[in-house]
Amino acid sequence: MPLTDAQRTDIETQRAASATTRRATVPALEERLFEAVPLLDHGFLRVIDYMGDDSAIVQAARVSYGRGTRKVSEDAGLIRYLMRHRHSTPFEMCEIKFHVKLPIFVARQWIRHRMASVNEYSARYSILDREFYLPAPEQLAAQSASNRQGRAETLPPATAGRVMDMLRGDAMQCFTHYETMLNTDEDGIGLARELARMNLTLNTYTQWYWKIDLHNLMHFIALRIDPHAQYEIRVYAEAMLDILRAWVPAAAAAFEDYRVGAFTLSSGMLDALRRMLDGDAVTAENSGLSRREFTEMMAALGRTA
Amino acid sequence: MPLTDAQRTDIETQRAASATTRRATVPALEERLFEAVPLLDHGFLRVIDYMGDDSAIVQAARVSYGRGTRKVSEDAGLIRYLMRHRHSTPFEMCEIKFHVKLPIFVARQWIRHRMASVNEYSARYSILDREFYLPAPEQLAAQSASNRQGRAETLPPATAGRVMDMLRGDAMQCFTHYETMLNTDEDGIGLARELARMNLTLNTYTQWYWKIDLHNLMHFIALRIDPHAQYEIRVYAEAMLDILRAWVPAAAAAFEDYRVGAFTLSSGMLDALRRMLDGDAVTAENSGLSRREFTEMMAALGRTA
Amino acid sequence: MPLTDAQRTDIETQRAASATTRRATVPALEERLFEAVPLLDHGFLRVIDYMGDDSAIVQAARVSYGRGTRKVSEDAGLIRYLMRHRHSTPFEMCEIKFHVKLPIFVARQWIRHRMASVNEYSARYSILDREFYLPAPEQLAAQSASNRQGRAETLPPATAGRVMDMLRGDAMQCFTHYETMLNTDEDGIGLARELARMNLTLNTYTQWYWKIDLHNLMHFIALRIDPHAQYEIRVYAEAMLDILRAWVPAAAAAFEDYRVGAFTLSSGMLDALRRMLDGDAVTAENSGLSRREFTEMMAALGRTA
Amino acid sequence: MPLTDAQRTDIETQRAASATTRRATVPALEERLFEAVPLLDHGFLRVIDYMGDDSAIVQAARVSYGRGTRKVSEDAGLIRYLMRHRHSTPFEMCEIKFHVKLPIFVARQWIRHRMASVNEYSARYSILDREFYLPAPEQLAAQSASNRQGRAETLPPATAGRVMDMLRGDAMQCFTHYETMLNTDEDGIGLARELARMNLTLNTYTQWYWKIDLHNLMHFIALRIDPHAQYEIRVYAEAMLDILRAWVPAAAAAFEDYRVGAFTLSSGMLDALRRMLDGDAVTAENSGLSRREFTEMMAALGRTA
């Protein structure tokens, strides 16, 4: 359960308040505002604020004076055109702000996306909670032999149990010592928080406010929803895509068609494909491609390599 | 008059619509939403959308779950602290979107601020209007001798008249030829728009949607509201500061105290000032500063150098 | 001829000097350093400095302590892998600095790429030269009917002559008045430079120093070398690609294969293509794609739609 | 000792090689190239590459064709002027690339500076070394009572000993379990690297290539060399400032005068200071400032509040 009662009350209080605005408003997203989507064992993602909607994309592309009277279908067509031709600036005109709770090792991947604003909970200033990510047994997988940065099959139960014991035991012991170092009781140590935090393990949870525009959000999702992304960040990307569908349905549909479900053919792949369409028997050997590239292309085309 | 009747109608239609939202809302800014603030002879600035308020800055700095129950004065104190110690990320959590109409030579200065999103009206795609900036007579000033990039005294009326004739005549002739080149009538030329536009003068008006976060907006205003900034961009910065006061009053007050009205003493100036406070007769010669630096410091301190 | 004798001398003096360095050095690029590649009628592009080479990309990807002893072919393979999987950060580890002379209307497109550093020649501080872009006759083309932001067939000679007369006449008259306004002779006007410049036409040449990393440079080239980009900026992108081939040959080859010559299939296009490979007679009507998307896909595949 | 013999050999091999270049070259920095400056117990900072020198700043500010024949003192004067008036773009024209080894909790602070390029050693792809930061005894300090994110007095030896035992013990145990989980021997676990790494403590060392322009580097140093910055990142900032002095001596001197040793007076402080210079007895109470601001100002002026 990722939230305390006090936190739930804060969220409910905020959800209960409302105001009148002249701004572009999306009822389907308002419905979800402030609510925490639970992720992993203690994490969450919740939308704190947003700016703009599908029409705002169109309005910026046209530099118009009002919201216009075009049909929804015309707007969707323009949005598809912008997405296909990588005219990205109109998508920057929408903005969203999340509150995210996530393990530190996930936060370290996440922060590599620089085109966003972040305020992280400070362990120099405050004390972290005793919460660490412990994978579900089905997530404890062996190192992949073919993909140097991926996972293979799930560990057998007994082996998984050994891993869980180590992960849980070490995280708890490190946290207990963290508390001991911070303790300011009579015979406590009272170590500076900025030092004590270094004893925590990388699966400790942190949290931050994260604000990003729609263009950069789609770039983040596209990279992190990929099957090669680590599972523990992919679940956040999937939750974001779900929010995207509620917030900007036309942009989300174009994004899924032109990015998430797309495949880029290199110049060499285009050559090979043209030959295939001409009826040639193209093989890995005579394709002019490396075996790996040939396999990737055939997989995308639903052929056996 | 910068707006056509159709544009006024679009704006009024948008102002008339409203919705209910759970988001942070600022009534004083809602009041101004979409309305055009007229600037220069044909330009304007209008707020199209915004995200966040003073409390959103505080909420992000604290990474909190709700809007909190602290007093407004406590929030203002934290905002002053963040501003004084250049903790800029909480200010990035507010965002604003403007529609701006401005002369091209001003747009060229403006765009140098990279930390913003822009969609400009495209002269490859559309035809520009016959509107150019012609300075008011009191703005026609001589080149400054002391400041290589500034203005000195206003030109005498007869000389100003000669300048106005040239500016107006050339802009009109260039625009007329632009139209002639674009003309697709029977004996028209029908030149591509992307080529014809090169015949326009730099005082022709363009327009764009411009979106920026509060931290970067304050940086823009601080640089462009400076007396050394060119008058024609300064009027936009002043209009933005006025909007800032309505939108985020606590942040605006801290900004005016710590940035707009502030002065940075170099290490050498600090030395000289300490001697002055000790009662030494510090002069340009014995100050250890260049004459220009000494003069700048004395001016900031309200002393005669 | 874009350079004065004094400028040529400055360039030759700089080319004649040399030093010893421990840094990664690329002889093929050293050969071209400082030399101006002439572009359009008065423009140019010249490399002022660079950092890194193909090996620097590999070294950063491996976070290695030295330059390694791998074969060139292994490095090229890793670079292809990074390019294919959009691992862009190692490409950010190379940097290049250009001095560019270009018409203002091209500069306005160019500057939209924000991930670069720019120092432009200041017309507030200095006086511009009497140089404007006048297109070669074969570049004077009619507005395209099918592409709202493109060109169609070349204008007939007589019509082109009318256009040239207007472009040349207006640019010259505007520049003459610019000089008149700036004139500080006895009966001159002495207008501030920051004001006088607004009378110039958009084909006036400006110049700047422009510094960018390799990743962002490839993004710039990919967008601006596209057949839909305006000719007047495309020539600069083509000159840059040529420099890229001398500077980082392995990265340039991967870039041309995976970006410049590539085509992205949307999810819908992948469906249609799978059916084609299965032997179905796929037409625009039964493809599930819009006519425009179907046509674009068939063109990329070298089929007639 | 932060380097292995193999790493030393790689560095020496690279230092032994040299080439001829036409680029701006700084002998004092060449002298240090590739050498590791040891920091903390296992960390280091070493310069891998650089672009530009003091003259390159001047050259960009002037958009010149050659390196010019001005005196060094004139260049230094222009650089001081640019620094004082916050004309930051010419400083962006110099670039430097570091290889840094640092504890993960320091890396997490560091990465918040977004205007840089980073390639970090990947613990998904490779196995980390058994190296963790253990503070020197004199760095083990109590939590500050006055500064919520700072340190106070050093811990007494016995208490420090308890802290050291916990830090060392936990880091070693976590690392041993990390190795156990990764072990692929017959009865090993073979857990995926991307999972095993979550068991490491935050004082484990990581490393990265980090590339940044001079303007943003100075911003980083100014923030992290501050007495309020955490000691463990401050030592890196101090090492960088030392490198800055060798690389761009004129820019470094201006930076130390106008940034590192400077103090910004708010509008309210300026008022109080003007009264002090007029001979008024200004106290915290009648200054119009908060007590904290008054104290900060008096400290900067070398007065007792």
Side-chain angles (χ1 to χ4, degrees), chain C residues 250-268:
Chain C
F255 171 63
E256 294 192 69
D257 191 12
Y258 289 116
R259 294 285 179 281
V260 178
F263 184 78
T264 296
L265 296 167
S266 69
S267 147

Side-chain angles (χ1 to χ4, degrees), chain C residues 89-285:
Chain C
T89 54
F91 296 101
E92 293 180 24
M93 288 289 153
C94 295
E95 190 90 14
I96 194 162
K97 183 161 59 180
F98 294 104
H99 180 187
V100 193
K101 192 168 157 193
L102 71 179
I104 290 175
F105 73 94
V106 175
R108 298 223 315 127
Q109 285 194 324
W110 191 302
I111 199 79
R112 298 302 318 280
H113 296 263
R114 288 160 293 180
M115 295 296 106
S117 294
V118 185
N119 280 278
E120 185 171 356
Y121 190 83
S122 168
R124 288 184 77 194
Y125 193 85
S126 307
I127 298 176
L128 293 179
D129 291 326
R130 182 187 283 267
E131 286 179 324
F132 1 89
Y133 170 58
L134 295 175
E138 66 271 23
Q139 290 304 330
L140 285 177
Q143 174 62 40
S144 165
S146 62
N147 176 358
R148 276 189 61 85
Q149 49 185 7
R151 304 184 191 176
E153 72 288 353
T154 302
L155 296 184
T159 316
R162 285 176 60 200
V163 169
M164 290 303 289
D165 288 348
M166 285 187 271
L167 289 177
R168 188 186 294 107
D170 287 349
M172 302 240 329
Q173 175 177 317
C174 286
F175 196 88
T176 298
H177 285 157
Y178 169 69
E179 287 181 319
T180 302
M181 293 182 208
L182 291 177
N183 193 337
T184 52
D185 284 356
E186 191 114 339
D187 64 342
I189 291 175
L191 185 68
R193 283 183 288 271
E194 67 177 21
L195 287 168
R197 61 172 168 170
M198 82 174 74
N199 202 56
L200 297 171
T201 48
L202 280 160
N203 55 353
T204 307
Y205 273 91
T206 183
Q207 51 181 294
W208 59 35
Y209 270 52
W210 189 66
K211 174 171 150 290
I212 193 164
D213 68 51
L214 176 56
H215 166 64
N216 282 292
L217 176 62
M218 293 189 299
H219 187 64
F220 180 96
I221 294 175
L223 288 177
R224 300 304 179 179
I225 213 167
D226 189 276
H228 292 97
Q230 183 164 354
Y231 166 78
E232 282 78 15
I233 196 165
R234 210 163 60 224
V235 295
Y236 288 87
E238 284 163 359
M240 284 175 184
L241 179 53
D242 193 52
I243 286 163
L244 211 67
R245 293 188 192 113
W247 176 28
V248 280
F255 171 63
E256 294 192 69
D257 191 12
Y258 289 116
R259 294 285 179 281
V260 178
F263 184 78
T264 296
L265 296 167
S266 69
S267 147
M269 288 177 186
L270 275 170
D271 285 344
L273 186 56
R274 286 188 198 111
R275 286 169 48 206
M276 286 169 67
L277 289 168
D278 285 342
D280 285 14
V282 177
T283 63
E285 286 67 32

Side-chain angles (χ1 to χ4, degrees), chain A residues 11 23 69 115 123 157 173 194-195 216 222 230 234 243 251 257:
Chain A
I11 291 174
R23 292 172 292 169
T69 54
M115 296 295 105
Q173 175 177 319
E194 67 177 20
L195 287 168
N216 282 292
Q230 183 163 354
R234 209 164 60 226
I243 286 164
D257 191 13

Side-chain angles (χ1 to χ4, degrees), chain A residues 60-93:
Chain A
R62 297 194 177 120
V63 193
S64 57
Y65 284 77
R67 291 184 66 79
T69 54
R70 315 247 183 155
K71 291 181 194 147
V72 168
S73 65
E74 281 180 276
D75 282 4
L78 176 53
I79 286 171
R80 284 183 69 80
Y81 174 87
L82 296 170
M83 185 76 71
R84 190 160 74 250
H85 292 278
R86 298 196 174 262
H87 291 195
S88 54
T89 54
F91 296 101
E92 293 180 24
M93 289 288 153

